[in-house]
Every structure is written in structure tokens, then in C-alpha cells.
Amino acid sequence: MNTSPVLRHHLHLSVQRSHVAGRRDFLKVLSAAGAVGLTDVLSLRADELRRQGTACILLWMQGGPSQFETFDPKPGHANGGETKAIATRLPGVHFSENLPYLADIADRLALVRSMTTREGEHQRATYLMHTSYLPMASVKYPAMGAVVARELPRPDCELPSFVRIGPQLNVAGGGFLGTRYDPFIVLSAGRLPENTRPATEMTQFDRRLALMARLESAKSGAPPAPSEHEQLYAGAARMIKSSQMAAFDLEREPEKVRSQYGSGSFASSCLLARRLIESGVTFVEAVLGNWDTHQENFPRSRTLCEQLDRPFAALVTDLAERGLLDKTLVVWMGEFGRTPRVNPRGGRDHFPRAFSAVLAGGGVRTGQVLGATDDGGEAVKDRPVTEKDLFQTVYRALGVNSRQEYMSPIGRPIKPVDGGQVVQELVG
């Protein structure tokens, strides 16, 4: 029996609540839903069970990393420059010499060497690779993290669903989904985020919250439905009081584990990402900046890869050892790649025509390289993957319905991603 999208949405919410409340409440949902079809409810329940505990970590390389100095080296070609290649755990597959730790876990990665877009300006490309849409004045599109936070709620988690760690990005957040789905910003991993310690004793803090609630209710003489502003206050208060805030304290992690990630701010960000996922956060973005190598590309890329290589490899390994990798999709990417030809300043410029992305975990078929660039890295010669294809694939891996429609403030239905195709080689 076909069910209207609106009714399916309400059933979806009911099934989510039944997952929290338990088996008895779920049976009530089944009983009440007889008129719309038992198959619909069972299908939704199966989807919920499949998505339970699913999460995503985005490792964002702000500035656009060079594919030649990371995952698609071209040794022996003039465009390859001074960067050498090293063997990996995958026979015949080579990474840049700058990534020895990742080369050692290549069998746990799915490398896409054929990413291609048409946008080579930093801000627009960053927006595109966060939302799958180019920016428009009339609509603020939600970032991938906001969509995942909305679609994969964890009622047992008292921390924000979407956390961004590292340098601030002037890029999409909750968009038209609302500020509720904006990222919670953590400027530096390793200590409690700013303004998360009550300035007073907890009992006094609770009294002030209760007073604020009474004042809000007194406005109309009756308790109104909570506004988005009030919901944000309630969520912030719940987070501050929660024992789950301990996830932000990296000192609680054994020294043996911390040493596996190495040192530096990005290493701390990756470790914090794992701790947050373990605590129930559904989307964490960790930012490593300064990849805009218009000059001194080779030494700068080498230094950046030293910051990236060990933490990225440790994150994947750590998730696997804790039994979290199958349910946690890790995505590595930037807004575009770098030009094949080295400029007179020893740098590489913006190049969206052909670059790389990496996925791990989340049920993705790893241990493979998808697509290829030509000998000089100047064009995709096999299996091009657009930004929309990548988003479709990520949402499929996470169990997010990319065909659903959200109603924007201008009354226009908008999908999480409009167009593109799931990369079947990666998720089937």
C-alpha cells in the first residue's frame, strides 16, 4: 500500500520515538498504523534499526590539497615535480611519499581519484562541497553535517549532533533547516569548549533556568510551544550539565592511545572526533587548513601531510579496533585540487577538473581505487565522480534518504542533494 510522504514522515517520527521508548510503544505504533499499511511501518522500522548508531566524520582540508602530493602522485612526469611515490598495502597502488602511515592502511580506504567539479573559487567551492549546491542569495542550503544531524538523531546523546573542530569556516551550517542544526564550534581540541562552564554553582544555575522558563511562560499566561531560541537554550543547558561533556577532555584518554595519533592540533582533533562519535554525536567535522599552496607547494604540502598522515591513519585504526568503523563513515576531501603544472613560484594553483577524495568505514567497499586521471593528471580519464555523486554516495552509506524534500522558507521543496548518482562501486 502506498503512503503519502506526509504520513510517512509522521510514521518516521513515531518509529524514532518507539526506538527510544521500547518494544511496548512500538507495538502501539503498529496497532495505530493499521490503516496505512503494516508494510510501511515495518519498512521504516527496518530503516531505523539499520541506521542505529550510524555516524560520519568529515576530515576537511581547507584550501584545496594537492592530489599530486597526497593520493595521486605522478612520479616520472614533469607535472609530478619532486614528489616521489611509495607502495601501499594494495598491490600496484601508490601514494605520495608524504603519507607512509596511510599507505600502510590503504586496504581500509576507498580512494576516488576522479573527483571533478566546475567551481574553482575557494568560498563557492567550499560551499559546494559542504552542501552539494552553489550558493544562492535566496536560499541558504544546509551543510551535509546539518542534514545528517537532522536525519540521524541520537536521543540518548546530550551533546550537539553536529560538531566542527578547528579553524572557523565561513560556510554553510543549518541553512534553512534552522540554527538548531548549525555546527557547535570547537576552536581547539583538548580542552572544554568556550562558555561551557557555568559561572555559578549548579544549583543556582538550575534556579536561573527555572526562573527564565517561568518568565517565558508569563508572556502569554500559558506555556507556549517552545521557540527555536528556547530549544537552543534548553539544549545548551542540558549539554553543560551532562556527564558526556567529559568527551571533550582528552586527558582522560590513555597516553598509549594519544601517542598513536601523534602530536599537534589536528591529531587532537581526530582523537576528539572519535571520542565524540563514541559519545553519540552523529557528525563531526575536523578541519586542517592552509592547503592553498600557490607558492612553495612541495615543502608546504610535506609539512601539512605530516600533520595529516598519522592522525588520519590512527583514527581509522582506532575506530576499527573499537568496533565503530562499520557504523562510522570517514570522508577526507577539500574544495578542489591543485594544477598539474607548477607555477613560477614553485606552487600549484586551483584545479577543480580532477582531484581526489577518500572514504573509509560506514559499510563502504574499501581496498580499492576508483577512477583515474591521465598520465599528467590534467583530466579524468576514467569514472568521473561529481560532487553530487559523492553526496548521493555518502547519504546512501549513512542511510539518509536523499530523495526526500524539505520545505524551504520561500515555499520551495528542496532535496538534500538534487541530481547525481550513487557510486555503486563504493556502496552497492
Side-chain angles (χ1 to χ4, degrees), residues 228-306:
E228 186 173 51
H229 179 75
E230 291 166 332
Q231 289 175 344
L232 287 174
Y233 262 100
R238 186 171 60 251
M239 177 186 72
I240 288 172
K241 296 164 61 177
S242 174
S243 61
Q244 293 174 346
M245 285 294 291
F248 290 100
D249 185 2
L250 300 187
E251 293 298 321
R252 293 173 179 253
E253 199 70 36
E255 175 59 32
K256 179 181 178 180
V257 176
R258 282 188 286 163
S259 64
Q260 289 173 352
Y261 282 79
S263 60
S265 59
F266 189 69
S268 297
S269 296
C270 287
L271 177 55
L272 177 56
R274 191 271 290 163
R275 288 176 61 85
L276 291 173
I277 292 297
E278 206 168 26
S279 296
V281 176
T282 51
F283 193 98
V284 181
E285 180 175 358
V287 181
L288 177 59
N290 300 319
W291 289 92
D292 197 20
T293 54
H294 289 285
Q295 56 189 9
E296 298 180 344
N297 169 76
F298 299 103
R300 288 179 59 192
S301 292
R302 187 160 47 247
T303 298
L304 287 162
C305 284
E306 288 173 356

Side-chain angles (χ1 to χ4, degrees), residues 153-169:
R154 287 284 299 273
D156 58 329
C157 182
E158 296 174 316
L159 302 179
S161 297
F162 177 11
V163 178
R164 181 176 286 154
I165 312 167
Q168 290 195 53
L169 302 176

Side-chain angles (χ1 to χ4, degrees), residues 169-218:
L169 302 176
N170 183 22
V171 72
F176 62 72
L177 294 181
T179 56
R180 177 182 177 185
Y181 298 106
D182 279 345
F184 179 74
I185 302 297
V186 179
L187 294 177
S188 178
R191 64 173 185 264
L192 283 178
E194 300 293 330
N195 301 316
T196 56
R197 291 182 184 274
T200 62
E201 295 293 330
M202 195 61 71
T203 53
Q204 188 176 355
F205 179 70
D206 289 335
R207 286 198 297 270
R208 290 181 176 181
L209 288 175
L211 175 60
M212 184 175 69
R214 290 198 298 272
L215 291 173
E216 292 288 346
S217 297

Side-chain angles (χ1 to χ4, degrees), residues 88-89 95 100-109 312-314 316-317:
T88 72
R89 279 189 179 269
F95 290 175
Y101 284 93
L102 287 167
D104 197 45
I105 64 157
D107 55 328
R108 286 179 165 168
L109 306 177
F312 185 0
V316 173
T317 303

